[in-house]
Amino acid sequence: MRTAALGIARPEETSEAGLTDLLTGLGNSRRFLAKIRRLIADRASDPAPFVVGIVDLDGFKPVNDLFGMASGDEILCQAAMRLRAALDPRCTIVRLGADEFGFLLPLTFSEAAAGEQARILIEVLSAPYDLGERSARLSASVGCALYFTAAEGAEDLIRKAETALYDAKRAGRGRVVVYSQEIEDKARRVTLIEQALRRAVAAGEVEPWFQPIVCLSSRRVLGCEALARWTDRDLGVVSPGEFIPIAEERGIIGQLSQVLLRKAALAAADWPEEVYLSFNLSPSQLVDQNTSDHVLSILAETGLPPGRLQIEITETGMMCEPASAERIVEDLRSAGIRTALDDFGTGQSSLGRLRQLHFDTIKIDQSFVAAMLTDPPTQHIVRAILAMCDGLEKDVVAEGIECEEQAARLAFFGCQKGQGYFFGRPMRAEATAAHVHGYAASARPAGT
Ligand code: C2E
Ligand code: CA
Ligand code: CA
């Protein structure tokens, strides 16, 4: 029924059993392979390049979960129709599975032209989907590869398009990536890091370092943020900016986080009791309902009171699956753990959402602090955030303070707490203990 209505399956295709996708009426992955193989054979005497690509809908799963399977199917059918209509009839478009479509462009000869075609596909897929009483919006990512030589088989081309798609997805939504050696090298490094990290996590070789969070007026250390550090024997030092996203993507973050929290809580148990530990949770941990149990059992095991722990969560973390994230935040708060909204100002959450989110602390992102002294609009935004937090009775920590002038200006605007290289770089557990005891001692009245 659908097939006929879409008008995209020609009679000979429906009769070829096993080559058609029943939902959309497009060809399936077997047809895709056959078409690519045929084109490779055709080009044996005419070595003109062509393009193989994969389109993947961004955010299809949450829409499918929210609106139900029937709406999900409807979106896939509409997407199929749009893709078919957007391409020249000589091109092939198939559904590879779930929310992935493959395309073959026999008359596209350059990377630039491939990128242009792919952007058109993303554009047509980004228009709203009509679902009767509701509508949904999605974007899409595309990876593609150019065929240059007969030494490459159809499977090689598809694998290259997949590698490019993976790179596009990692970089965010709505992007096009054309395969290159550089992309291949990047993908290979990700795999190397993943394997080395799995080993390091199992062996407990990832360490928390700590950066002080200070009171801007007294300069006393109030708490320390744990920041993951890892040196692999072959890869050398790998920054958390690189390995944390890989740990998230490859499902290692839960175990990694438990190793880090256990070590960090043990270290913090040695600090003066008024100094708290601030610990980062990743967005994917807020989708896992076991997270709060894991955190609480590590506190019980290490003896760190919940009142001395603060959990940092980014705005993006709250947006992925808001209901799940809010439940975890509530569980942690009811156990007496404080929560901080990290990198505030860089995410997508609206001010309206801030009213519903129950955070004790807001951390102003370091990009604001970096620009504040030279850029008047940024300074206004920082003051507005401080005024808002004051009204909402939330604590504020300004991040990335690198000089006295930034610290002084923020204190003048009413910001109570700060963190940054000016007050201390992240340091090992032993150095941190000496640092926090030194501060605590010097802050006590003489003779006590
Ligand atoms: P973040 O949570 O926003 O952490 C602050 C980052 O800013 C840290 O980078 C810190 O070293 C850096 N920083 C602190 N003060 C200054 C300053 O004055 N100037 C500049 N330019 N930078 C400063 P780092 O340690 O490389 O961590 C990067 C990110 O990796 C963190 O950003 C956090 O998102 C993530 N991360 C680190 N450790 C963990 C962890 O244990 N768990 C999770 N889930 N994420 C972590
Ligand atoms: Ca943080
Ligand atoms: Ca931050």
Side-chain angles (χ1 to χ4, degrees):
M1 257 325 277
R2 268 184 202 285
T3 307
L6 284 168
I8 44 188
R10 277 163 289 166
E12 81 269 14
E13 285 176 334
T14 39
S15 63
E16 285 176 84
L19 294 178
T20 306
D21 169 52
L22 291 176
L23 175 67
T24 62
L26 295 178
N28 62 15
S29 56
R30 286 183 58 206
R31 173 170 299 278
F32 198 41
L33 266 174
K35 287 267 188 182
I36 300 170
R37 285 191 185 127
R38 197 176 316 149
L39 193 57
I40 290 175
D42 287 353
R43 293 283 160 99
S45 53
D46 162 23
F50 63 83
V51 173
V52 169
I54 304 175
V55 187
D56 184 294
L57 295 177
D58 300 323
F60 177 73
K61 190 182 171 296
V63 169
N64 202 34
D65 292 349
L66 191 67
F67 291 174
M69 273 249 298
S71 297
D73 285 356
E74 182 58 35
I75 290 175
L76 293 172
C77 289
Q78 289 185 26
M81 218 177 334
R82 292 179 193 185
L83 290 168
R84 178 78 276 176
L87 289 170
D88 181 290
R90 283 164 293 186
C91 299
T92 300
I93 178 90
V94 301
R95 176 163 173 242
L96 293 173
D99 55 350
E100 261 188 22
F101 298 88
F103 61 84
L104 176 58
L105 313 175
L107 301 175
T108 303
F109 307 122
S110 71
E111 283 191 10
E116 228 164 85
Q117 284 273 350
R119 267 182 284 278
I120 293 174
L121 299 183
I122 291 179
E123 207 176 299
V124 301
L125 292 175
S126 303
Y129 292 82
D130 181 8
L131 302 172
E133 282 162 17
R134 303 188 268 198
S135 75
R137 263 182 184 279
L138 296 171
S139 64
S141 303
V142 178
C144 40
L146 265 79
Y147 165 87
F148 289 112
T149 125
E152 285 178 313
E155 285 90 350
D156 296 325
L157 283 167
I158 293 177
R159 192 196 59 76
K160 287 181 175 181
E162 278 169 353
T163 303
L165 174 66
Y166 170 69
D167 194 74
K169 282 271 188 192
R170 289 195 84 214
R173 295 166 162 237
R175 292 176 59 111
V176 178
V177 170
V178 181
Y179 176 88
S180 65
Q181 188 56 45
E182 196 192 328
I183 301 290
E184 182 78 51
D185 294 345
K186 251 204 274 180
R188 196 162 294 151
R189 180 165 165 87
V190 168
T191 307
L192 278 179
I193 291 179
E194 178 197 350
Q195 285 163 356
L197 189 59
R198 282 189 191 279
R199 193 197 56 78
V201 169
E205 286 170 11
V206 184
E207 295 293 330
W209 285 32
F210 302 92
Q211 185 179 36
I213 298 168
V214 307
C215 166
L216 285 179
S217 51
S218 71
R219 303 282 162 102
R220 267 185 65 186
V221 179
L222 303 170
C224 291
E225 177 177 359
L227 293 160
R229 293 292 179 266
W230 173 43
T231 305
D232 178 69
R233 57 188 175 206
D234 300 319
L235 299 165
V237 174
V238 185
S239 80
E242 188 171 19
F243 72 77
I244 296 281
I246 295 173
E248 285 219 31
E249 275 168 33
R250 304 288 168 107
I252 321 172
I253 192 70
Q255 290 150 279
L256 168 63
S257 195
Q258 288 183 51
V259 169
L260 288 166
L261 181 59
R262 194 168 289 120
K263 291 188 181 197
L266 283 173
D270 271 350
W271 304 341
E273 62 183 17
E274 67 275 17
V275 178
Y276 64 87
L277 168 68
S278 203
F279 190 83
N280 294 285
L281 284 187
S282 285
S284 60
Q285 294 179 274
L286 299 172
V287 175
D288 179 358
Q289 287 300 314
N290 295 317
T291 296
S292 25
D293 285 347
H294 288 150
V295 170
L296 294 174
S297 68
I298 291 173
L299 289 185
E301 185 191 312
T302 55
L304 188 76
R308 288 187 60 199
L309 181 65
Q310 170 174 274
I311 291 293
E312 300 193 8
I313 295 168
T314 60
E315 292 175 81
T316 325
M318 291 309 294
M319 300 302 284
C320 290
E321 285 200 22
S324 159
E326 279 168 37
R327 206 169 320 131
I328 291 171
V329 167
E330 281 317 312
D331 284 352
L332 295 172
R333 291 187 86 228
S334 60
I337 295 169
R338 277 173 297 165
T339 50
L341 192 55
D342 202 2
D343 302 348
F344 183 73
T346 58
Q348 314 166 324
S349 88
S350 69
L351 292 179
R353 286 276 297 147
L354 194 59
R355 208 172 31 171
Q356 297 150 7
L357 298 175
H358 298 139
F359 282 92
D360 306 286
T361 299
I362 300 292
K363 295 190 81 174
I364 301 181
D365 188 67
Q366 53 191 47
S367 57
F368 292 97
V369 175
M372 194 184 74
L373 296 180
T374 49
D375 183 47
T378 303
Q379 191 165 77
H380 282 296
I381 292 171
V382 169
R383 296 183 72 169
I385 296 174
L386 290 169
M388 178 184 73
C389 290
D390 188 36
L392 293 172
E393 296 183 339
K394 296 197 189 293
D395 257 11
V396 186
V397 176
E399 292 192 278
I401 299 177
E402 294 187 349
C403 64
E404 173 67 54
E405 209 182 340
Q406 288 167 337
R409 189 76 61 93
L410 283 159
F412 178 72
F413 291 154
C415 181
Q416 309 115 4
K417 301 183 187 177
Q419 183 182 353
Y421 294 165
F422 177 63
F423 300 112
R425 290 190 177 246
M427 54 196 141
R428 290 178 189 279
E430 305 80 53
T432 305
H435 188 76
V436 294
H437 280 290
Y439 264 91
S442 64
R444 277 193 204 113
T448 61

